[in-house]
Amino acid sequence: MTTTTKGALPAIWPRRFRVLSSGAGRISVRVDVRTLLVTLVLALATVLLSVWSLGVGSADGTSLSLERVIGAFTGTESEVVRRIVVEGRLPRVLVAVLGGAALALSGAIFQTLTRNPLGSPDIIGFTSGANTGALVAMLVLGSGYAGATVGSLVGGLLTGLVIYLLALKDGVHGTKLIVVGIGVSAMLVAFNGFLLVRARVENAASAAAWGQGIFDQLRFVDVVAVAIVLLVLLPALAALTPSLRMFELGEDAARSKGVDTGRVQLLLLVVGVGLVAAVTAVAGPIAFVALIAPQVGKRIARSAGIPLLTTAAVGASLLVLCDALARTMLAPVQLPVGVVTTALGGVYLLGLLLAQSRRVAS
Protein backbone atom coordinates (compact mmCIF):
# COMPACT_ATOMS: atom_id res chain seq x y z
CA MET A 1 0.00 0.00 0.00
CA THR A 2 1.60 3.28 -1.08
CA THR A 3 0.59 6.96 -1.07
CA THR A 4 1.17 9.36 -3.96
CA THR A 5 -0.05 12.77 -5.02
CA LYS A 6 -2.85 13.16 -7.53
CA GLY A 7 -1.74 12.90 -11.12
CA ALA A 8 1.24 10.68 -10.37
CA LEU A 9 -0.70 7.47 -11.01
CA PRO A 10 -1.01 6.00 -14.50
CA ALA A 11 -4.45 5.77 -16.04
CA ILE A 12 -4.59 1.97 -16.08
CA TRP A 13 -3.55 -0.37 -13.29
CA PRO A 14 -3.45 -4.16 -13.26
CA ARG A 15 -6.65 -5.74 -12.00
CA ARG A 16 -5.20 -6.57 -8.60
CA PHE A 17 -4.65 -2.88 -7.81
CA ARG A 18 -7.26 -0.30 -6.86
CA VAL A 19 -6.75 3.42 -6.40
CA LEU A 20 -8.67 5.06 -3.56
CA SER A 21 -8.87 8.87 -3.46
CA SER A 22 -9.66 11.19 -0.61
CA GLY A 23 -12.74 13.40 -0.68
CA ALA A 24 -10.69 16.39 -1.82
CA GLY A 25 -8.98 14.28 -4.44
CA ARG A 26 -5.50 15.43 -3.37
CA ILE A 27 -4.32 12.11 -1.95
CA SER A 28 -4.57 8.75 -3.69
CA VAL A 29 -3.82 5.39 -2.12
CA ARG A 30 -2.85 2.40 -4.25
CA VAL A 31 -4.24 -0.81 -2.74
CA ASP A 32 -3.04 -4.26 -3.75
CA VAL A 33 -6.34 -6.09 -3.40
CA ARG A 34 -4.88 -9.60 -3.47
CA THR A 35 -2.21 -8.84 -0.87
CA LEU A 36 -4.78 -7.13 1.35
CA LEU A 37 -7.18 -10.07 1.18
CA VAL A 38 -4.42 -12.61 1.80
CA THR A 39 -3.23 -10.61 4.81
CA LEU A 40 -6.74 -10.40 6.25
CA VAL A 41 -7.23 -14.15 5.83
CA LEU A 42 -3.89 -14.81 7.55
CA ALA A 43 -4.80 -12.43 10.38
CA LEU A 44 -8.08 -14.31 10.87
CA ALA A 45 -6.17 -17.61 10.81
CA THR A 46 -3.83 -16.26 13.49
CA VAL A 47 -6.78 -15.35 15.71
CA LEU A 48 -8.37 -18.78 15.26
CA LEU A 49 -5.08 -20.57 15.91
CA SER A 50 -4.54 -18.45 19.02
CA VAL A 51 -7.98 -19.33 20.42
CA TRP A 52 -7.37 -23.00 19.65
CA SER A 53 -3.95 -22.83 21.30
CA LEU A 54 -5.50 -21.39 24.46
CA GLY A 55 -7.66 -24.51 24.71
CA VAL A 56 -5.17 -27.30 24.05
CA GLY A 57 -3.19 -28.72 26.93
CA SER A 58 -0.14 -30.92 27.35
CA ALA A 59 -1.57 -33.16 30.06
CA ASP A 60 -4.71 -35.25 30.42
CA GLY A 61 -7.68 -33.18 31.48
CA THR A 62 -6.10 -29.80 30.66
CA SER A 63 -7.62 -29.36 27.20
CA LEU A 64 -10.54 -26.94 27.34
CA SER A 65 -13.50 -26.26 25.08
CA LEU A 66 -14.06 -22.88 23.47
CA GLU A 67 -16.83 -22.16 25.94
CA ARG A 68 -14.53 -22.75 28.90
CA VAL A 69 -11.75 -20.65 27.35
CA ILE A 70 -14.18 -17.76 26.97
CA GLY A 71 -15.41 -18.36 30.51
CA ALA A 72 -11.87 -17.95 31.82
CA PHE A 73 -11.92 -14.36 30.55
CA THR A 74 -15.52 -13.53 31.52
CA GLY A 75 -15.22 -14.92 35.05
CA THR A 76 -17.71 -17.75 34.71
CA GLU A 77 -15.06 -20.45 35.16
CA SER A 78 -13.16 -21.47 38.26
CA GLU A 79 -9.98 -19.81 39.46
CA VAL A 80 -7.98 -22.87 38.40
CA VAL A 81 -9.19 -22.61 34.80
CA ARG A 82 -8.56 -18.86 34.79
CA ARG A 83 -4.97 -19.40 35.89
CA ILE A 84 -4.40 -22.09 33.26
CA VAL A 85 -5.75 -19.97 30.41
CA VAL A 86 -5.00 -16.38 31.39
CA GLU A 87 -1.79 -16.70 33.40
CA GLY A 88 -0.36 -19.86 31.85
CA ARG A 89 -1.26 -19.97 28.15
CA LEU A 90 -2.18 -16.42 27.17
CA PRO A 91 1.33 -14.93 27.63
CA ARG A 92 2.94 -17.59 25.45
CA VAL A 93 0.29 -17.17 22.76
CA LEU A 94 0.74 -13.39 22.74
CA VAL A 95 4.53 -13.72 22.59
CA ALA A 96 4.09 -16.21 19.72
CA VAL A 97 1.94 -13.70 17.80
CA LEU A 98 4.18 -10.69 18.43
CA GLY A 99 7.42 -12.65 18.24
CA GLY A 100 6.45 -14.47 15.06
CA ALA A 101 5.61 -11.17 13.39
CA ALA A 102 8.89 -9.62 14.60
CA LEU A 103 11.02 -12.52 13.35
CA ALA A 104 9.23 -12.55 10.01
CA LEU A 105 9.74 -8.82 9.50
CA SER A 106 13.42 -9.16 10.37
CA GLY A 107 13.74 -11.89 7.76
CA ALA A 108 11.97 -9.70 5.21
CA ILE A 109 14.43 -6.87 5.85
CA PHE A 110 17.54 -8.98 5.33
CA GLN A 111 16.16 -10.98 2.41
CA THR A 112 15.28 -7.73 0.66
CA LEU A 113 18.66 -6.14 1.39
CA THR A 114 20.57 -9.19 0.21
CA ARG A 115 18.09 -10.08 -2.58
CA ASN A 116 18.55 -13.68 -1.49
CA PRO A 117 16.02 -16.07 0.14
CA LEU A 118 18.81 -17.33 2.41
CA GLY A 119 19.44 -13.85 3.80
CA SER A 120 17.78 -14.30 7.18
CA PRO A 121 18.99 -13.68 10.75
CA ASP A 122 19.33 -17.45 11.27
CA ILE A 123 21.74 -17.88 8.37
CA ILE A 124 23.60 -14.57 8.73
CA GLY A 125 24.33 -15.15 12.40
CA PHE A 126 22.36 -12.56 14.34
CA THR A 127 20.34 -15.24 16.14
CA SER A 128 23.55 -17.03 17.13
CA GLY A 129 24.95 -13.74 18.44
CA ALA A 130 21.90 -13.17 20.61
CA ASN A 131 22.24 -16.73 21.92
CA THR A 132 25.92 -16.13 22.70
CA GLY A 133 25.10 -13.03 24.70
CA ALA A 134 22.52 -14.93 26.72
CA LEU A 135 24.88 -17.86 27.36
CA VAL A 136 27.62 -15.52 28.58
CA ALA A 137 25.14 -13.89 30.95
CA MET A 138 23.86 -17.22 32.29
CA LEU A 139 26.99 -19.38 32.36
CA VAL A 140 29.85 -16.90 32.80
CA LEU A 141 28.24 -14.09 34.80
CA GLY A 142 25.75 -16.36 36.58
CA SER A 143 22.87 -13.91 36.15
CA GLY A 144 20.16 -16.44 35.25
CA TYR A 145 17.25 -15.86 32.88
CA ALA A 146 16.92 -12.19 33.87
CA GLY A 147 20.51 -11.57 32.77
CA ALA A 148 19.91 -13.64 29.63
CA THR A 149 17.38 -11.04 28.50
CA VAL A 150 19.93 -8.24 28.60
CA GLY A 151 22.71 -10.48 27.32
CA SER A 152 20.79 -11.55 24.24
CA LEU A 153 20.00 -7.95 23.34
CA VAL A 154 23.65 -6.92 23.72
CA GLY A 155 24.92 -10.02 21.93
CA GLY A 156 22.59 -9.59 18.97
CA LEU A 157 23.43 -5.94 18.48
CA LEU A 158 27.19 -6.49 18.85
CA THR A 159 27.08 -9.35 16.36
CA GLY A 160 25.20 -7.16 13.91
CA LEU A 161 27.81 -4.42 14.32
CA VAL A 162 30.72 -6.85 13.81
CA ILE A 163 29.16 -8.37 10.68
CA TYR A 164 28.40 -4.93 9.27
CA LEU A 165 31.97 -3.69 9.84
CA LEU A 166 33.50 -6.84 8.34
CA ALA A 167 31.25 -6.57 5.28
CA LEU A 168 31.69 -2.78 4.96
CA LYS A 169 34.68 -2.71 2.64
CA ASP A 170 33.67 -1.50 -0.85
CA GLY A 171 30.06 -1.32 0.24
CA VAL A 172 27.75 -3.81 1.91
CA HIS A 173 26.63 -6.19 -0.83
CA GLY A 174 24.08 -8.93 -0.28
CA THR A 175 26.30 -11.91 -1.02
CA LYS A 176 29.17 -10.51 1.05
CA LEU A 177 26.88 -9.92 4.02
CA ILE A 178 25.62 -13.51 3.88
CA VAL A 179 29.09 -15.04 3.51
CA VAL A 180 30.54 -12.94 6.35
CA GLY A 181 27.49 -13.72 8.48
CA ILE A 182 27.83 -17.46 7.91
CA GLY A 183 31.47 -17.31 8.97
CA VAL A 184 30.70 -15.31 12.11
CA SER A 185 27.78 -17.61 12.90
CA ALA A 186 29.98 -20.69 12.65
CA MET A 187 32.47 -19.21 15.12
CA LEU A 188 29.69 -18.21 17.50
CA VAL A 189 28.14 -21.69 17.38
CA ALA A 190 31.54 -23.17 18.24
CA PHE A 191 31.97 -20.69 21.09
CA ASN A 192 28.48 -21.48 22.39
CA GLY A 193 29.38 -25.17 22.43
CA PHE A 194 32.56 -24.36 24.36
CA LEU A 195 30.55 -22.44 26.97
CA LEU A 196 28.13 -25.34 27.41
CA VAL A 197 30.92 -27.92 27.76
CA ARG A 198 32.76 -25.84 30.35
CA ALA A 199 29.67 -25.11 32.43
CA ARG A 200 28.28 -27.15 35.32
CA VAL A 201 25.92 -29.88 34.17
CA GLU A 202 22.76 -28.39 35.67
CA ASN A 203 23.55 -24.91 34.32
CA ALA A 204 24.43 -26.29 30.90
CA ALA A 205 21.16 -28.23 30.76
CA SER A 206 19.13 -25.10 31.54
CA ALA A 207 21.08 -23.02 29.03
CA ALA A 208 20.77 -25.68 26.34
CA ALA A 209 17.00 -25.86 26.86
CA TRP A 210 16.79 -22.06 26.67
CA GLY A 211 18.84 -22.20 23.47
CA GLN A 212 16.06 -24.15 21.75
CA GLY A 213 13.39 -21.55 22.46
CA ILE A 214 11.27 -21.91 25.61
CA PHE A 215 7.73 -20.63 25.99
CA ASP A 216 6.57 -22.42 29.15
CA GLN A 217 8.12 -19.80 31.46
CA LEU A 218 6.75 -16.74 29.70
CA ARG A 219 4.75 -14.19 31.69
CA PHE A 220 2.97 -10.94 30.89
CA VAL A 221 6.10 -8.93 31.62
CA ASP A 222 7.69 -10.67 28.64
CA VAL A 223 4.72 -9.77 26.46
CA VAL A 224 5.10 -6.13 27.49
CA ALA A 225 8.84 -6.18 26.72
CA VAL A 226 8.33 -7.49 23.18
CA ALA A 227 5.41 -5.10 22.61
CA ILE A 228 7.49 -2.08 23.67
CA VAL A 229 10.29 -3.02 21.27
CA LEU A 230 7.77 -3.39 18.45
CA LEU A 231 6.22 -0.02 19.26
CA VAL A 232 9.66 1.56 18.88
CA LEU A 233 10.94 -0.35 15.85
CA LEU A 234 7.82 -0.70 13.68
CA PRO A 235 7.42 3.07 13.09
CA ALA A 236 11.12 3.18 12.17
CA LEU A 237 10.60 0.30 9.74
CA ALA A 238 7.56 2.05 8.24
CA ALA A 239 9.64 5.18 7.67
CA LEU A 240 12.39 3.13 6.02
CA THR A 241 10.07 0.98 3.88
CA PRO A 242 10.14 3.24 0.76
CA SER A 243 13.95 3.06 0.77
CA LEU A 244 13.83 -0.68 1.48
CA ARG A 245 11.69 -1.14 -1.63
CA MET A 246 14.42 0.48 -3.70
CA PHE A 247 16.80 -2.32 -2.69
CA GLU A 248 14.56 -4.83 -4.47
CA LEU A 249 16.12 -3.54 -7.69
CA GLY A 250 19.66 -3.77 -6.32
CA GLU A 251 21.96 -1.47 -4.38
CA ASP A 252 23.14 0.41 -7.48
CA ALA A 253 19.58 1.04 -8.59
CA ALA A 254 18.64 2.24 -5.11
CA ARG A 255 21.61 4.62 -5.12
CA SER A 256 20.60 5.95 -8.54
CA LYS A 257 17.16 6.74 -7.09
CA GLY A 258 18.74 8.99 -4.48
CA VAL A 259 18.83 6.51 -1.57
CA ASP A 260 21.71 6.98 0.85
CA THR A 261 22.41 3.25 0.76
CA GLY A 262 25.06 3.17 3.49
CA ARG A 263 22.93 5.02 6.04
CA VAL A 264 19.75 3.14 5.15
CA GLN A 265 21.50 -0.24 5.34
CA LEU A 266 22.85 0.58 8.79
CA LEU A 267 19.45 1.73 10.06
CA LEU A 268 17.71 -1.34 8.62
CA LEU A 269 20.41 -3.53 10.19
CA VAL A 270 19.67 -2.02 13.60
CA VAL A 271 15.91 -2.50 13.15
CA GLY A 272 16.26 -6.07 11.90
CA VAL A 273 18.67 -7.14 14.63
CA GLY A 274 16.56 -5.39 17.25
CA LEU A 275 13.47 -7.36 16.21
CA VAL A 276 15.36 -10.66 16.51
CA ALA A 277 17.05 -9.74 19.77
CA ALA A 278 13.76 -8.70 21.40
CA VAL A 279 12.25 -12.15 20.80
CA THR A 280 15.43 -14.00 21.72
CA ALA A 281 15.69 -11.99 24.93
CA VAL A 282 12.42 -13.36 26.34
CA ALA A 283 12.03 -16.76 24.66
CA GLY A 284 15.46 -17.85 23.48
CA PRO A 285 16.61 -18.24 19.88
CA ILE A 286 13.83 -19.45 17.58
CA ALA A 287 15.22 -20.60 14.28
CA PHE A 288 13.84 -20.54 10.74
CA VAL A 289 10.68 -18.43 11.22
CA ALA A 290 12.58 -15.46 9.78
CA LEU A 291 13.77 -17.65 6.91
CA ILE A 292 10.42 -19.19 5.96
CA ALA A 293 7.82 -16.47 6.51
CA PRO A 294 9.02 -13.85 3.95
CA GLN A 295 9.15 -16.36 1.09
CA VAL A 296 5.79 -17.89 2.01
CA GLY A 297 4.24 -14.42 2.20
CA LYS A 298 5.72 -13.48 -1.16
CA ARG A 299 4.43 -16.62 -2.85
CA ILE A 300 0.89 -16.64 -1.52
CA ALA A 301 0.52 -12.91 -2.24
CA ARG A 302 2.14 -13.41 -5.68
CA SER A 303 4.03 -10.19 -5.10
CA ALA A 304 7.14 -8.98 -6.92
CA GLY A 305 8.72 -8.03 -3.61
CA ILE A 306 8.25 -9.28 -0.06
CA PRO A 307 5.00 -7.82 1.37
CA LEU A 308 5.72 -6.80 4.93
CA LEU A 309 2.22 -7.03 6.41
CA THR A 310 1.58 -10.40 4.81
CA THR A 311 4.96 -11.65 6.00
CA ALA A 312 4.21 -10.52 9.56
CA ALA A 313 0.88 -12.38 9.48
CA VAL A 314 2.58 -15.54 8.18
CA GLY A 315 5.18 -15.37 10.95
CA ALA A 316 2.58 -14.85 13.66
CA SER A 317 0.36 -17.74 12.55
CA LEU A 318 3.38 -20.02 12.01
CA LEU A 319 4.83 -19.48 15.48
CA VAL A 320 1.44 -19.86 17.21
CA LEU A 321 0.96 -23.17 15.40
CA CYS A 322 4.48 -24.37 16.24
CA ASP A 323 4.01 -23.48 19.90
CA ALA A 324 0.76 -25.46 20.09
CA LEU A 325 2.42 -28.44 18.39
CA ALA A 326 5.39 -28.24 20.75
CA ARG A 327 3.01 -28.49 23.73
CA THR A 328 0.96 -31.39 22.43
CA MET A 329 3.04 -33.58 20.07
CA LEU A 330 4.70 -35.58 22.86
CA ALA A 331 2.31 -34.72 25.70
CA PRO A 332 2.73 -34.65 28.62
CA VAL A 333 6.33 -33.74 27.65
CA GLN A 334 6.59 -30.24 26.20
CA LEU A 335 9.12 -29.70 23.44
CA PRO A 336 10.98 -26.41 23.05
CA VAL A 337 9.26 -24.50 20.28
CA GLY A 338 12.60 -24.14 18.50
CA VAL A 339 12.67 -27.89 17.92
CA VAL A 340 9.46 -27.69 15.89
CA THR A 341 10.48 -24.59 13.93
CA THR A 342 13.88 -26.12 13.18
CA ALA A 343 12.26 -29.31 11.87
CA LEU A 344 9.97 -27.31 9.58
CA GLY A 345 12.82 -25.02 8.58
CA GLY A 346 15.08 -27.91 7.69
CA VAL A 347 12.48 -29.33 5.31
CA TYR A 348 11.92 -25.88 3.80
CA LEU A 349 15.65 -25.20 3.40
CA LEU A 350 16.21 -28.56 1.72
CA GLY A 351 13.34 -27.88 -0.68
CA LEU A 352 14.68 -24.40 -1.43
CA LEU A 353 18.16 -25.69 -2.22
CA LEU A 354 16.77 -28.45 -4.46
CA ALA A 355 14.59 -25.94 -6.32
CA GLN A 356 17.56 -23.62 -6.86
CA SER A 357 19.76 -26.49 -8.08
CA ARG A 358 17.11 -27.53 -10.63
CA ARG A 359 16.82 -23.92 -11.79
CA VAL A 360 20.58 -23.70 -12.31
CA ALA A 361 20.67 -27.06 -14.10
CA SER A 362 17.91 -26.03 -16.50
Side-chain angles (χ1 to χ4, degrees), residues 75-109:
T76 58
E77 284 290 337
S78 65
E79 181 66 17
V80 173
V81 173
R82 190 195 70 81
R83 288 182 178 178
I84 291 175
V85 175
V86 178
E87 298 179 14
R89 296 176 185 170
L90 183 59
R92 64 189 300 165
V93 170
L94 291 177
V95 169
V97 172
L98 297 177
L103 292 172
L105 289 173
S106 179
I109 290 172

Side-chain angles (χ1 to χ4, degrees), residues 14 18 58-59 72 81 85 101 109 176 205 216 223 276 283 289 310 322 325:
R18 295 292 184 271
S58 58
V81 173
V85 175
I109 290 172
K176 183 193 300 184
D216 56 324
V223 180
V276 172
V289 173
T310 307
C322 288
L325 292 176

Side-chain angles (χ1 to χ4, degrees), residues 194-270:
F194 171 78
L195 290 177
L196 291 173
V197 170
R198 297 282 295 178
R200 296 174 60 183
V201 174
E202 58 272 21
N203 294 338
S206 299
W210 186 90
Q212 293 296 321
I214 54 170
F215 274 25
D216 56 324
Q217 299 182 14
L218 293 175
R219 297 296 180 262
F220 280 108
V221 65
D222 302 310
V223 180
V224 173
V226 177
I228 289 174
V229 173
L230 289 178
L231 287 175
V232 173
L233 294 182
L234 290 185
L237 177 58
L240 292 168
T241 296
S243 298
L244 178 65
R245 292 301 177 207
M246 295 293 106
F247 281 93
E248 294 174 357
L249 303 175
E251 185 177 348
D252 293 336
R255 190 179 297 109
S256 68
K257 297 293 184 180
V259 176
D260 186 348
T261 55
R263 183 182 67 87
V264 171
Q265 283 175 332
L266 180 59
L267 292 174
L268 287 170
L269 180 73
V270 172

Side-chain angles (χ1 to χ4, degrees), residues 57-59 92 208-218 283 285-286 319-344:
S58 58
R92 64 189 300 165
W210 186 90
Q212 293 296 321
I214 54 170
F215 274 25
D216 56 324
Q217 299 182 14
L218 293 175
I286 301 172
L319 194 50
V320 171
L321 176 61
C322 288
D323 174 46
L325 292 176
R327 291 208 317 266
T328 58
M329 284 178 63
L330 298 179
V333 177
Q334 295 191 39
L335 292 173
V337 68
V339 172
V340 180
T341 60
T342 299
L344 293 177

Side-chain angles (χ1 to χ4, degrees), residues 347-360:
V347 174
Y348 167 81
L349 184 59
L350 179 61
L352 178 63
L353 293 174
L354 289 175
Q356 288 187 339
S357 64
R358 290 195 191 99
R359 192 177 301 117
V360 171

Side-chain angles (χ1 to χ4, degrees), residues 117-136:
L118 295 178
S120 81
D122 314 300
I123 305 297
I124 298 177
F126 303 132
T127 303
S128 298
N131 190 22
T132 300
L135 289 177
V136 170

